[in-house]
Amino acid sequence: MAEEKVVKKVVAVKAEDKEEKAAKLADPVASSIDVATQEMIVRAQKLGIETIFDRAENMKPCNIGIQGICCKNCSMGPCRLPLPKGGIIGEDTRKGLCGATANTIAARNFIRMIAGGAAAHSDHGRCVAEVFNSAARKESDAYKIKDVHKLLAVAAHLGVATKVMLDGKEVDRNTDEIAVEVGEKALNEWGKPEGELLYLKRAPKPLYEKWQKTGVLPRNIDREIVEIMHRTHMGVDQDYKNLMKQGTRAALADGWGGSMLATDLQDILFGTPYPLQSEANLGVLKQDHVNIVIHGHEPVLSEMIVAVAQKSELIEYAKSKGAKGIQLSGICCTANEILQRHGVPLCGTFLQQELAIITGAVDAMVVDIQCIMQNIANVAKCFHTKLITTHPIARMEQPNVIHIEFDEHYALQDAEKIIRIAIDNFQNRSADVLIPRHKATQIAGFGVESIEYHLGGTFRGSYYTLNDNIINGRIRGIGGVVGCNNARSRHNEAHIAIVKELIKNDVIVLTTGCNGIACAMEGLLTPETAGVFCGPGLAEVCETVGIPPVLHLGSCVDNSRILLAATEVIRAGGLGKDLCDLPAAGSAPEWMSEKAISIGHYFVASGVYTIFGGTLPVSGAPVFKKYLFEDMEKIYGGMWDLEADPIKHAHKMIAHIDKKRKELGIDKARERVLMDMADRQKLEAV
Ligand code: BF8
């Protein structure tokens, strides 16, 4: 009966869509490796509700656009420059109406993606900086400085004094004054008229000098993004190398600017993450609780929802409506933020947002910015779910969407209003609730500070232990595996295959974003995983120290934590002088967003070999592609690569790690670890 009601609503939704045609359905098993996801795709199809998996069957990507060789920057086009059959005859044979070559067009498109990604991360950072300022000035009761230790550390990087002279003696400066100045200095990084970003000097000195020599030091965050839009306007920059130089400035302004500031200011306001236990996958939803799913990226509102949902008054209110309590869970990077700091469980990755609603158990889905599919409003229409947008720059036009604009000055009130809407909606569940039983335990909450603590202890916290284990070969190297899901590939398949192959080969993995969620769902974020999936060296380290072989460092802006962790490894000594010396590699197996391109490029420009899965929009411009894949290494020490096959992809990373071990002269130590069990027993007997 309840299912019939859903079907009726689906029919009504479809009637509104005049264009609706008979469409192919996705094969659930071919669409995802995750059983919970498969089950929900089956349910959606039974109910006649279309999801992204079905849409991917019915619309194929443009074959020219996918290669990066379509220019739509003026109205004489779009000019499309397909590769001639039989290959390139001469690079000048393919031109747009203005004469733009494939390399110019692909480079313009590529750096516009960097601009989009850097803008998204950095605008998120700006919003956090604004909230930070209002907290520092005590304009809001809701936000307070939580981590004073981190405030003082950040102050040093922003040139804010933490000591003052009083009666001829140096004394600690008032924390409130420091916070106000930190907030002002931080916000200034977005638009200061002169100089360069202050955080660039946090990089190892040789890397900073390399950027300086190459002329790519970002001046301020906004300017580098604006300049990309100018240079890629019709008839401006026509040199793919010069275009990439600007792309590099903007990407660095993201990684070592907007993203890093976002992470730091969030840590000061909401607390620096430390390891904690939680769960992941659609099975975290609870049939007998009010389920509120928080989705998006900025933690400024979700932090308040987490705080308010624990109020006994609201829990009692939920009980008065027949629920046993309030269950919060998250999707995408807002999820990672509240997981890292509070242990709020992960409901799913980017590709599971529609499916969460299809369980029929979600009483409210609260969204802020980024990675929010427009179609969730259509899916919500078929159920009782209240879909609530909260951000002025990310609204939805569908009439069933409620907009509650979040104001940091009334943060607690806004959060309470949202929770009450969800509670009031509990009794309106119209469909049978079908929550997949699948969920996994995870240990998350890692970061620069907690890695140091775990590997070095409270009193001698440092990266020496990590370095020692890399030098002696128990840990072969470091893999940063991050990024999205992409409906063009089987959900989570490449993420998991690559991570498993890396840890099997003794490469410790640092993860963020949807890769972190995928690994959590697969149960890879537990110390026990080490004995099952890791090579002997990595297993030994993880078992001794009690850490998982895959360390979840948070959201996509938290990729800045990976940059800083790598910098700490250099500082601890023995593994070179620059990030490009490290036996390390980066990967985004199932990338889809512009943010991933910006992240990829700031890793490349920071000296990291960075490999993407799927496709990259550069294949139609072989000269430009070679510049990214080969020539970049001579400039920055890092370069781009692409490999769709997950096992080959992992082995390309391992080959790069081994190349770096050889250059560091520690490849022999690695051979020692590859002794068989008998050899090791002999050694232990001695
Ligand atoms: O910033 S990994 S799909 S959720 S873009 Fe989006 Fe990609 Fe997921 Fe987070 Ni990042």
Side-chain angles (χ1 to χ4, degrees), residues 525-590:
L525 303 188
T526 60
E528 297 74 38
T529 306
V532 183
F533 294 112
C534 293
L538 181 59
E540 192 183 331
V541 174
C542 292
E543 280 161 7
T544 308
V545 184
I547 55 168
V550 184
L551 303 178
H552 192 351
L553 270 68
S555 64
C556 286
V557 294
D558 291 334
N559 281 312
S560 60
R561 296 191 201 275
I562 300 182
L563 293 175
L564 292 177
T567 303
E568 288 304 317
V569 171
I570 291 294
R571 190 165 295 139
L575 289 171
K577 302 257 177 283
D578 193 349
L579 298 191
C580 63
D581 298 331
L582 289 175
S587 156
E590 300 179 24

Side-chain angles (χ1 to χ4, degrees), residues 297 332-333 350 371 483-485 513-514 556 592-593 595:
H297 284 76
C332 287
C333 285
F350 165 73
C371 302
C484 323
N485 283 142
C514 286
C556 286
M592 64 87 195
S593 80
K595 291 181 282 178

Side-chain angles (χ1 to χ4, degrees), residues 41 44 49-56 354-355 358 375 379:
I41 296 173
I49 300 170
E50 176 204 88
T51 66
I52 188 168
F53 300 97
D54 301 322
R55 290 191 292 279
E354 293 165 310
L355 306 181
I358 288 164
N375 196 56
V379 179

Side-chain angles (χ1 to χ4, degrees), residues 124-427:
H124 162 169
R126 183 202 323 268
C127 177
V128 174
E130 284 166 353
V131 172
F132 182 95
N133 274 343
S134 85
R137 294 192 201 111
K138 305 208 182 298
E139 292 165 2
S140 160
D141 294 338
Y143 302 100
K144 304 223 162 23
I145 301 301
K146 205 162 183 180
D147 189 340
V148 174
H149 184 72
K150 186 127 190 184
L151 172 71
L152 300 180
V154 167
H157 296 302
L158 293 174
V160 174
T162 54
K163 305 269 182 198
V164 281
M165 295 305 285
L166 192 71
D167 299 332
K169 276 195 206 144
E170 195 180 58
V171 294
D172 289 342
R173 191 178 173 201
N174 177 288
T175 314
D176 292 341
E177 276 178 32
I178 296 172
V180 170
E181 204 179 325
V182 162
E184 285 165 357
K185 278 267 177 82
L187 205 49
N188 202 32
E189 292 297 274
W190 271 265
K192 63 188 182 186
E194 286 171 354
E196 66 198 36
L197 290 188
L198 296 168
Y199 270 10
L200 299 170
K201 292 223 165 96
R202 296 179 78 172
K205 201 160 173 261
L207 179 55
Y208 174 84
E209 286 169 357
K210 200 184 290 169
W211 293 333
Q212 191 175 41
K213 195 170 132 231
T214 319
V216 293
L217 293 171
R219 297 152 288 186
N220 70 49
I221 298 164
D222 287 348
R223 178 173 182 172
E224 305 310 352
I225 295 164
V226 168
E227 195 169 310
I228 285 185
M229 298 313 285
H230 181 188
R231 287 192 192 211
T232 56
H233 183 275
M234 193 270 147
V236 187
D237 203 344
Q238 297 159 25
D239 170 355
Y240 66 89
K241 291 182 189 167
N242 207 38
L243 285 160
M244 270 320 293
K245 212 165 163 179
Q246 185 54 26
T248 302
R249 282 192 198 99
L252 292 175
D254 174 357
W256 296 87
S259 282
M260 200 172 276
L261 283 161
T263 297
D264 278 349
L265 299 179
Q266 287 171 180
D267 281 356
I268 298 170
L269 278 181
F270 309 131
T272 301
Y274 278 90
L276 37 70
Q277 187 173 327
S278 188
E279 292 178 324
N281 211 344
L282 294 164
V284 304
L285 296 170
K286 290 185 178 166
Q287 170 135 11
D288 51 10
H289 280 56
V290 173
N291 286 297
I292 304 175
V293 177
I294 308 169
H295 171 21
H297 284 76
E298 268 180 19
V300 288
L301 169 63
S302 50
E303 278 286 329
M304 295 302 110
I305 293 182
V306 173
V308 175
Q310 291 166 24
K311 276 171 73 175
S312 55
E313 182 195 327
L314 283 172
I315 295 170
E316 287 310 314
Y317 185 54
K319 287 182 180 167
S320 77
K321 299 285 178 181
K324 287 204 173 139
I326 302 168
Q327 173 71 350
L328 297 181
S329 61
I331 287 193
C332 287
C333 285
T334 293
N336 285 325
E337 300 278 2
I338 51 178
L339 163 74
Q340 294 289 96
R341 298 192 178 90
H342 305 285
V344 173
L346 299 166
C347 187
T349 65
F350 165 73
L351 279 184
Q352 291 170 287
Q353 54 190 282
E354 293 165 310
L355 306 181
I357 301 173
I358 288 164
T359 62
V362 176
D363 302 300
M365 182 176 274
V366 187
V367 303
D368 51 65
I369 48 161
Q370 299 169 23
C371 302
I372 298 150
M373 291 184 207
Q374 188 160 350
N375 196 56
I376 56 173
N378 296 327
V379 179
K381 265 189 217 169
C382 305
F383 294 87
H384 77 301
T385 306
K386 299 280 185 206
L387 181 57
I388 305 171
T389 54
T390 57
H391 207 290
I393 70 160
R395 296 192 62 156
M396 290 174 145
E397 59 169 349
Q398 291 94 323
N400 63 319
V401 180
I402 305 168
H403 185 71
I404 299 179
E405 196 148 308
F406 174 67
D407 177 344
E408 76 259 24
H409 300 100
Y410 302 98
L412 294 168
Q413 292 92 319
D414 288 343
E416 182 161 341
K417 192 169 167 190
I418 288 167
I419 294 171
R420 283 187 183 273
I421 289 175
I423 294 172
D424 288 337
N425 200 29
F426 177 74
Q427 290 177 332

